Each structure stands twice: as structure tokens, then as C-alpha cells.
Amino acid sequence: MEIKGHFPLALYTTMGVGGLAEFFVAPRSLQDIILIQKYRSGEGCPVNVIGGGSNLIILGDVLSGLVVSTLEMCQISHAGSSERKEIVCEAGLPLKSLLGRAISEELSGLEFAMGIPGTVGGALCGNAGVPGFSVSDVINWVEVVKPGGTLARLGKNDIGWGYRYSSLGNSEDIIYRCGLVLVPEEPEKIRDNCQYWWKKREQQPYTDRSAGCIFKNPEKHSAGWLLERCGCKGMRKGDAMVSERHANFIINVGHAVSEDILWLIRQCRTRVYEKTGIMLELEVKLVGNEIF
Ligand SMILES: Cc1cc2nc3c(=O)[nH]c(=O)nc-3n(C[C@H](O)[C@H](O)[C@H](O)COP(=O)(O)OP(=O)(O)OC[C@H]3O[C@@H](n4cnc5c(N)ncnc54)[C@H](O)[C@@H]3O)c2cc1C
């Protein structure tokens, strides 16, 4: 496992924004992750894990400590009966590849993930999903490596789940792999489901560089609707811009920097609060020292 110094992170995010990692490592095995977690505890080194980088904004010029990319951890296998099949996959597997495998095995349950970028680990941390469905629906267990290096298996009910929330996202554990339970289904039905969810993506700026939805939807209205009503669409600072297609996406139209993105996020949140009294909560994760 090679540790690299002053490693550029922008290409590791879908938004294409990020400074340098003081140290960067891409583990390839469980043993590597255990080593990282032992080092973290022993040295008191700050650690940031990054999967597909599709739900985070990296702040500042240098991110101190160690950045751990899970992209080399993408093994997949499956087992089970004719009624239920368990797919076991490592955290760095792209969600798209997992869905592709489920489709080719004629297994249903994950079609809602059609078009959600990123890895399985990131999806577990944010309980990725769409209205009515989320990753927690198909999870059976998750294995994590704790600071200090202990491997632990958590059952689905040992984990706190909510709308775009899981307790896994609030801990210092590194997700190693998980087991998902899917059900056999007719290929035509699976294909129709995928097409249904893919069509829903038309409202999103999925060909632009973004970090997904900036804010969570509050109780009564969608964040996108509120932001649009408050005139946020098209707001721009430097090369960061609120998408004209969907107001809950900030896109990088050139060489956006994190300061400009953060400025836009604050402006959007203030506008919505002043006009509606609703304080929007961040869905995207800010990585770095900034307190929001
Ligand atoms: C165009 C677009 C559309 C999107 N649509 C949706 C959507 O419909 N629904 C939805 O829910 N999301 C959506 N997203 C957001 C994003 O794709 C998901 O949240 C995705 O699951 C994040 O996965 P990731 O691997 O990119 O995570 P990252 O952005 O890399 O990381 C997110 C968080 O997870 C943590 N993390 C990642 N892997 C691990 C690990 N192995 N161990 C510990 N912590 C880890 C990171 O530290 C970070 O805190 C969209 C994003 C884009 C760009």
C-alpha cells in the first residue's frame, strides 16, 4: 500500500473541486484498512474517507491528515437460495456496477439506484435513495473496521437509518463491505423499473459536474422547489453556479473553487430562510475545517 504526499483530489470528486491531500492512500484489502485504522489511533492522524466523491465538497487548499480512497476495494460475490439472494460487495464498488450485476443475475430491489453515482460505501453513509426507496431497504449487514483496527459486523438493525442519514456516516469506522438481500424477478420487470427511475433523472443536471443535491428536503416542500421560488436558479459566483435545470444542484461550469461554492450555499440558505423561515439542512458533506 503506497502512501502518496500532496496528492490532488479534484479528480476524485464528481464536482471536480478539491485541493491537495497531505497524505493519500488507496487500500486494496481488509488488512490495509486495518493498518490504516491502527495508524489513525496510534498517531492521532485525521482521516477522511472518500468513495466516488459524488456527495462531498472538499474545502481549502490542503486537507491535513490522510485521505483514504476506497476505489480499489470493489470485489463482489453472491450466494443464497432461489427465494432470496445475498450479494456481498466491498465498499468501493460503484453503485452502478452493483446494479449491473443485480440486473444480469435477474435480481430486483436496487432499480431505484439507477443513475445514482458513487460507491456502495458512500451510499451506506448517506442512505442514498429516491422518494420511497433507499439503500437501507436491501441491506442485511455491514462490516466496518473501527479505529484501532477491529473488524465488526453490524446487522441492519444495529445501524440507525433515516432520510439521507445513517449512523455509519457519523462514526470514524471505515466501511469494508456489506451483504444485500435481493429477490429474483422477471428481467422485463427489472428493465421497466430501471427505465422508470432513469426517466425521473431528466429533471437533474446529470451531465454537469455537481455533488448531487446540496440540501435535504424539508418536511413540506422539496428543497429544489423552495430554492427556485426564492430566485436561486442561475445564481453564480466565479465558476460555481446554481443549476438552471434544478435549483438544488450547484454545478462547476469551469474552474470553480470551494470558497465560491460555499458562498453560494450560504446565499441560497439565507434567501430561503429570509423568505420562508425554513432553515435548509445540508445533504452534501463538507470536508475540511470550515464550520457551516
Ligand atoms: C448527478 C448526481 C445525482 C445524484 N442523485 C442522487 C440520488 O438520487 N439520491 C441520493 O441519495 N444521492 C444522489 N446523489 C449523491 C451521491 O451520488 C450519493 O450520496 C452517493 O451515494 C455518494 O457515494 P460516494 O461514494 O460518491 O460518496 P462520497 O461522496 O465519496 O462520500 C460521502 C460520505 O461517505 C463517506 N464514505 C464513503 N465511503 C466510505 C467508507 N467506505 N467508509 C466510511 N465512510 C465512507 C465519506 O467519508 C463521506 O462522508 C447524486 C449525486 C450526483 C452527482
Side-chain angles (χ1 to χ4, degrees), residues 133 158 186 198:
F133 297 92
D158 301 327
E186 294 297 321
W198 182 244

Side-chain angles (χ1 to χ4, degrees), residues 123-283:
L124 287 166
C125 277
N127 195 15
V130 292
F133 297 92
S134 55
V135 161
S136 58
D137 296 334
V138 290
I139 285 299
N140 194 15
W141 51 264
V142 179
E143 281 180 354
V144 299
V145 180
K146 302 194 154 295
T150 317
L151 177 69
R153 181 178 284 215
L154 310 172
K156 177 182 179 162
N157 296 332
D158 301 327
I159 300 164
W161 303 101
Y163 160 63
R164 290 303 93 75
Y165 166 85
S166 97
S167 52
L168 296 165
N170 278 352
S171 83
E172 294 192 330
D173 298 350
I174 296 181
I175 301 166
Y176 161 50
R177 62 178 189 168
C178 68
L180 305 101
V181 173
L182 302 173
V183 286
E185 183 54 273
E186 294 297 321
E188 294 75 26
K189 177 84 173 104
I190 296 175
R191 193 199 53 216
D192 289 351
N193 290 345
C194 287
Q195 277 175 353
Y196 172 84
W197 288 114
W198 182 244
K199 202 146 176 46
K200 295 255 174 205
R201 301 255 149 216
E202 281 172 2
Q203 303 145 355
Q204 292 183 353
Y206 54 83
T207 53
D208 292 313
R209 288 181 294 163
S210 79
C213 287
I214 297 293
F215 299 106
K216 293 185 181 183
N217 291 323
E219 267 184 15
K220 284 192 184 133
H221 303 288
S222 78
W225 185 84
L226 287 167
L227 290 156
E228 186 172 347
R229 289 282 300 246
C230 296
C232 297
K233 264 190 176 174
M235 268 169 60
R236 181 166 176 166
K237 178 95 172 20
D239 279 344
M241 190 175 117
V242 178
S243 166
E244 294 277 10
R245 191 184 265 255
H246 192 309
N248 201 14
F249 284 69
I250 292 178
I251 58 175
N252 177 2
V253 295
H255 301 283
V257 291
S258 60
E259 289 77 10
D260 291 342
I261 299 166
L262 207 54
W263 185 90
L264 272 183
I265 293 177
R266 289 192 167 120
Q267 284 295 313
C268 287
R269 194 153 91 145
T270 304
R271 271 198 195 192
V272 171
Y273 183 67
E274 283 175 357
K275 292 198 173 166
T276 68
I278 297 171
M279 184 62 86
L280 293 175
E281 193 188 330
L282 279 186
E283 177 173 325

